Amino acid sequence: MECTGQNSSLGNHTALVEFILIGFSDVPHLQGFLLGVFLIIYAFILMGNSLIIMITKVDPSLQTPMYFFLRNFSLLEICYVSVTVPRLLTDLCRQYGNISLLACAIQMFFFLILVDTECFILTAMAYDRYVAICNPLLYPVIMNDRLCMQLAVVCWTTAIPIHTLFISMVFSSTFCGCNQLNHFFCDAPPVVQLICGDSFMVEMLLYMITALVASIPSFLIFGSYVKIVSTIVKLPSATGRAKAFSTCFSHFMVVALFFGSGIIVYFKSMTSHSTGVDKFLSLFYTVLIPMLNPIIYCLRNKDVKVALEKLLQKFICL
C-alpha cells in the first residue's frame, strides 16, 4: 500500500499505534546485497573506532587533550551508528519495518541527542586545536584535565533536556492517516509530517533546535579555524607550518563532511516532503561518514599511525 499526501487530505483519522519504515523495501532485488554491505560497514565502524579508543587509552604518547576528545568522538561514533544501523539490518533481514511509537520515540531521542553531541564534541576539538596552535605556551595550563572533563560532560549532556522537550511534544501529538515513513529510521522531519492537525509549534521547535545546533557550533569552529590559519601562515618555519596544518586537517575534513551533509539533508527534508531522495542522502551522514572517520584519523595522523604500528608489533611478538 502506498500513502500519498498529508494526513489531513486522507480523511482517515484513526490514531496510529505504529509506523512502517519503508527503508529499502522499494528495491527488493538489492535486499541481500544491502544487508551484506551495511553489515560490513557497521563491523568496520565498530572495529575502527574501538581500535582508536584502545590506542589513545593505552599509548603513553597519546595522553593529551587532543586524543582525549578523539577518544570521546570515537565512542560517540559507535553509539551514533548503533542507534540506526542494527535496526536497518534487522529490517533488511525480515523484509518489513514495523516499529511501535515507543520504539520510534526512543530511537529518535537517542539519534537527535547523539547528532547534537557530535556537533558539540567537534566544537570542543576545534577549541583544543585553537589553544594548541594560537596559545602553545599556555596550552597545558588552559587545557588541563579538569577543563577537558568539564567540556566532555557538557558535550554529552547539553542536548538531553532539549530533546526531552521536543520528543515529548512530538509523541504527545496524535498521528493518523498514513503510517508509512519513507526512511530507514525514525528521523524527526518525516515523523513530524505525520502529526494530525496543527503541527506548527512542533515544526518551529524543530527548526529552532536545528538552526541553533547547526549555526552556533559552525560559527565557533569557523572562528577557531580563521584564527588557526592566520597563526599558521605567520610561522617562520615551513616545517612548522606543515606540521600545524597536518594536526588540523583531519578534524577539518570530518567537520566539513558532517556539517555540510547534515545541514543540507536536514534543512532539505524539513522544507519539502520526502521523495525518497532524502533517505539515500541520510545514509551519507549516518553511515558513510562514520565509516570514513577512523580512516581519516588513522591515515592522516602520524601519532596514531605510530601508536598503531607499535600495538601491532606487540601482538605479532606475542
Side-chain angles (χ1 to χ4, degrees):
M1 177 182 122
E2 291 186 1
C3 298
T4 58
Q6 290 274 35
N7 299 329
S8 57
S9 66
L10 292 172
N12 178 10
H13 291 282
T14 303
L16 303 180
V17 296
E18 67 176 11
F19 295 127
I20 298 175
L21 295 170
I22 295 177
F24 298 97
S25 60
D26 49 350
V27 284
H29 57 288
L30 293 177
Q31 296 281 298
F33 172 75
L34 291 174
L35 176 63
V37 169
F38 290 134
L39 184 60
I40 292 171
I41 291 175
Y42 184 52
F44 178 81
I45 292 171
L46 294 182
M47 290 188 295
N49 284 288
S50 297
L51 187 60
I52 290 176
I53 292 172
M54 182 172 62
I55 291 172
T56 56
K57 187 70 176 178
V58 302
D59 193 288
S61 65
L62 302 183
Q63 304 306 306
T64 64
M66 174 180 174
Y67 296 106
F68 169 79
F69 289 115
L70 179 56
R71 186 160 59 248
N72 273 265
F73 184 74
S74 294
L75 176 61
L76 172 67
E77 291 290 80
I78 292 173
C79 298
Y80 179 64
V81 296
S82 295
V83 170
T84 57
V85 177
R87 172 81 203 196
L88 172 59
L89 295 174
T90 302
D91 291 344
L92 286 171
C93 286
R94 63 184 184 177
Q95 304 294 317
Y96 67 93
N98 295 51
I99 183 170
S100 68
L101 293 187
L102 177 59
C104 184
I106 292 172
Q107 185 183 50
M108 188 193 299
F109 178 68
F110 283 105
F111 177 76
L112 293 176
I113 286 175
L114 292 170
V115 168
D116 290 3
T117 301
E118 182 150 349
C119 294
F120 300 147
I121 287 183
L122 288 171
T123 306
M125 294 171 76
Y127 177 69
D128 171 72
R129 291 300 83 207
Y130 162 76
V131 177
I133 293 173
C134 299
N135 296 285
L137 297 179
L138 295 176
Y139 180 69
V141 177
I142 296 175
M143 298 303 296
N144 55 64
D145 292 343
R146 182 180 179 183
L147 178 63
C148 289
M149 187 60 66
Q150 289 173 339
L151 286 174
V153 171
V154 169
C155 290
W156 282 95
T157 59
T158 299
I160 294 176
I162 297 173
H163 289 298
T164 299
L165 172 63
F166 175 71
I167 295 296
S168 299
M169 288 185 64
V170 172
F171 287 90
S172 62
S173 305
T174 301
F175 300 95
C176 58
C178 174
N179 68 339
Q180 294 187 8
L181 295 177
N182 194 7
H183 218 306
F184 59 91
F185 71 98
C186 282
D187 203 0
V191 171
V192 170
Q193 289 175 10
L194 298 185
I195 294 176
C196 289
D198 187 9
S199 60
F200 177 78
M201 291 300 296
V202 177
E203 291 176 358
M204 285 302 101
L205 181 59
L206 179 58
Y207 272 114
M208 289 174 57
I209 294 172
T210 304
L212 288 173
V213 171
S215 61
I216 294 176
S218 297
F219 176 78
L220 293 173
I221 292 171
F222 178 76
S224 297
Y225 271 94
V226 168
K227 290 283 189 179
I228 288 170
V229 171
S230 64
T231 300
I232 290 175
V233 296
K234 294 176 184 177
L235 294 176
S237 167
T239 304
R241 289 195 296 271
K243 184 177 180 181
F245 272 120
S246 178
T247 60
C248 298
F249 186 74
S250 299
H251 178 258
F252 182 77
M253 284 182 63
V254 172
V255 168
L257 288 170
F258 178 76
F259 276 89
S261 61
I263 289 172
I264 291 171
V265 171
Y266 233 63
F267 276 105
K268 180 181 181 300
S269 61
M270 286 194 299
T271 54
S272 62
H273 299 308
S274 176
T275 60
V277 176
D278 297 339
K279 173 175 59 180
F280 290 95
L281 291 176
S282 296
L283 282 174
F284 191 71
Y285 75 94
T286 57
V287 179
L288 296 182
I289 291 179
M291 179 188 70
L292 293 175
N293 289 343
I295 299 173
I296 292 171
Y297 279 111
C298 287
L299 295 183
R300 291 289 312 176
N301 192 300
K302 292 182 180 179
D303 293 335
V304 173
K305 285 195 291 186
V306 170
L308 179 58
E309 289 172 0
K310 289 193 295 185
L311 184 64
L312 291 175
Q313 287 174 359
K314 287 183 180 179
F315 277 110
I316 293 172
C317 293
L318 290 178

